[in-house]
Amino acid sequence: MTKMEVKTSLLDNMIGVGDMVLLEPLSEDSFIDNLKKRFDHSEIYTYIGSVVISVNPYRSLPIYTPEKVEEYRNRNFYELSPHIYALADEAYRSLRDQDKDQCILITGESGAGKTEASKLVMSYVAAVCGKGAEVNQVKEQLLQSNPVLEAFGNAKTMRNDNSSRFGKYMDIEFDFKGDPLGGVISNYLLEKSRVVKQPRGERNFHIFYQLLSGGSEELLRKLKLEKDFSKYNYLSLDSACVNGIDDAANFRTVRNAMQIVGFMDEEIQSVLEVVAAVLKLGNIEFKPESRVNGLDESKVRDKNGRN
């Protein structure tokens, strides 16, 4: 059976058309209608050839189980229903069997599900590659990099409670057997403006709320911080607490993940000290002074209004 025959026979049993290449007639209306039809039946993945379109369901679906991983493992790309696991498997097998570098580009608007898609790809590859103490340690480090990156680079926005406010280019290195050796982020771009100001209804980066909510009394005392969000100008108060987000539990997860990734205790403390310093810098107020040599001057005003 040829590849095209496999695609056609499978599509006959799908909701709508699983591969837009075979959509007839092809128009913007039919394209959107096909996506909607599939989405209404919890089919959130659709192909355009080798491209996977995913529509964020904003709810949990039972399609990422260990059984699903085994179902898509070492299968032809078009052999089963469209799934991000099929794309991950195709890329991994090409890398392992053909010794070809692979690149998976994940793009979409805010709230489209890019962060979750990247985690699904990484978790699939971790599940199907080799085993062993050293390999498992590397896999765990790669997976645990996600909560660390999300803590310092994700925030609640109007469209998404866990929106990535950064872009990254990550390389994962594999040996000749297809086992991961490690990873490196070679390009990283952060939305720095969010640190000092957030739109109404949005939050600053998660780490600030996590630290104040989950930090022990001893830790906060060392950092000279208070748990009260209202004490800090950089923290948006109208959405400081979000239903479904447990900042205290997430802080414990992040600290554990930092240890797994390889941060020493002293390094973790140093990072948290920087976070605390940023919060305190936001509380500094300035008072205008006279112009000197044609330039405006200002001085720091303390809580008592003195210079």
Side-chain angles (χ1 to χ4, degrees), residues 116-229:
E116 291 303 312
S118 66
K119 289 191 288 188
L120 289 169
V121 170
M122 291 178 64
S123 63
Y124 180 86
V125 173
V128 300
C129 65
K131 310 296 180 184
E134 292 185 7
V135 173
N136 288 341
Q137 181 181 5
V138 173
K139 289 192 293 187
E140 187 65 12
Q141 287 178 330
L142 290 172
L143 294 175
Q144 290 301 318
S145 67
N146 284 311
V148 178
L149 289 171
E150 289 184 18
F152 290 87
N154 284 26
K156 177 197 180 307
T157 66
M158 294 298 293
R159 305 189 65 180
N160 185 358
D161 288 346
N162 189 35
S163 177
S164 297
R165 311 316 301 164
F166 68 94
K168 71 174 184 285
Y169 187 93
M170 185 175 189
D171 284 319
I172 303 177
E173 301 290 336
F174 295 82
D175 64 14
F176 69 96
K177 296 178 295 182
D179 295 339
L181 299 174
V184 60
I185 295 176
S186 57
N187 199 308
Y188 183 86
L189 179 64
L190 181 68
E191 184 189 61
K192 300 182 182 68
S193 60
R194 181 167 294 270
V195 173
V196 298
K197 187 175 179 60
Q198 309 90 42
R200 181 173 295 278
E202 300 193 2
R203 295 208 312 179
N204 209 325
F205 295 108
H206 292 324
I207 187 60
F208 296 112
Y209 305 92
Q210 291 174 353
L211 175 57
L212 297 184
S213 299
S216 65
E217 292 185 6
E218 179 183 0
L219 175 61
L220 295 180
R221 185 170 59 252
K222 287 182 179 179
L223 298 176
K224 296 181 172 59
L225 293 175
E226 300 180 45
K227 283 184 174 291
D228 188 355
F229 295 155

Side-chain angles (χ1 to χ4, degrees), residues 21-297:
V21 171
L22 304 177
L23 183 63
E24 292 183 359
L26 178 58
S27 65
E28 181 177 345
D29 289 341
S30 64
F31 188 94
I32 299 300
D33 182 66
N34 187 59
L35 288 177
K36 183 178 185 306
K37 183 185 299 182
R38 292 177 59 74
F39 180 81
D40 290 341
H41 289 81
S42 297
E43 294 285 350
I44 65 170
Y45 295 112
T46 306
Y47 293 150
I48 305 179
S50 60
V51 176
V52 178
I53 301 176
S54 63
V55 183
N56 193 340
Y58 291 101
R59 59 191 174 94
S60 298
L61 294 175
I63 58 175
Y64 306 111
T65 61
E67 291 75 21
K68 276 291 181 183
V69 171
E70 290 303 315
E71 184 178 342
Y72 280 85
R73 186 173 185 171
N74 292 324
R75 302 292 288 268
N76 183 284
F77 184 74
Y78 300 106
E79 192 173 347
L80 300 172
S81 300
H83 200 295
I84 195 168
Y85 283 172
L87 178 69
D89 187 77
E90 182 81 1
Y92 176 69
R93 285 192 293 116
S94 296
L95 179 145
R96 181 194 63 195
D97 300 339
Q98 303 176 28
D99 196 25
K100 292 182 178 179
D101 291 342
Q102 301 294 311
C103 180
I104 297 177
L105 174 64
I106 301 174
T107 183
E109 64 176 14
S110 178
K114 300 183 295 297
T115 298
E116 291 303 312
S118 66
K119 289 191 288 188
L120 289 169
V121 170
M122 291 178 64
S123 63
Y124 180 86
V125 173
V128 300
C129 65
K131 310 296 180 184
E134 292 185 7
V135 173
N136 288 341
Q137 181 181 5
V138 173
K139 289 192 293 187
E140 187 65 12
Q141 287 178 330
L142 290 172
L143 294 175
Q144 290 301 318
S145 67
N146 284 311
V148 178
L149 289 171
E150 289 184 18
F152 290 87
N154 284 26
K156 177 197 180 307
T157 66
M158 294 298 293
R159 305 189 65 180
N160 185 358
D161 288 346
N162 189 35
S163 177
S164 297
R165 311 316 301 164
F166 68 94
K168 71 174 184 285
Y169 187 93
M170 185 175 189
D171 284 319
I172 303 177
E173 301 290 336
F174 295 82
D175 64 14
F176 69 96
K177 296 178 295 182
D179 295 339
L181 299 174
V184 60
I185 295 176
S186 57
N187 199 308
Y188 183 86
L189 179 64
L190 181 68
E191 184 189 61
K192 300 182 182 68
S193 60
R194 181 167 294 270
V195 173
V196 298
K197 187 175 179 60
Q198 309 90 42
R200 181 173 295 278
E202 300 193 2
R203 295 208 312 179
N204 209 325
F205 295 108
H206 292 324
I207 187 60
F208 296 112
Y209 305 92
Q210 291 174 353
L211 175 57
L212 297 184
S213 299
S216 65
E217 292 185 6
E218 179 183 0
L219 175 61
L220 295 180
R221 185 170 59 252
K222 287 182 179 179
L223 298 176
K224 296 181 172 59
L225 293 175
E226 300 180 45
K227 283 184 174 291
D228 188 355
F229 295 155
S230 66
K231 298 290 186 181
Y232 304 100
N233 294 332
Y234 281 172
L235 300 186
S236 176
L237 299 181
D238 63 337
S239 55
C241 297
V242 182
N243 291 332
I245 293 182
D246 188 338
D247 289 312
N250 289 341
F251 180 69
R252 294 190 290 271
T253 299
V254 170
R255 290 201 66 170
N256 181 61
M258 292 177 77
Q259 291 176 329
I260 293 174
V261 169
F263 283 80
M264 305 296 291
D265 289 341
E266 297 80 7
E267 293 172 326
I268 295 176
Q269 182 67 23
S270 295
V271 170
L272 297 179
E273 288 174 356
V274 172
V275 174
V278 170
L279 283 175
K280 295 172 187 175
L281 284 172
N283 288 350
I284 296 178
E285 296 181 2
F286 296 88
K287 59 176 295 187
E289 291 289 322
S290 58
R291 293 173 64 87
V292 178
N293 296 326
L295 299 176
D296 291 328
E297 282 197 346

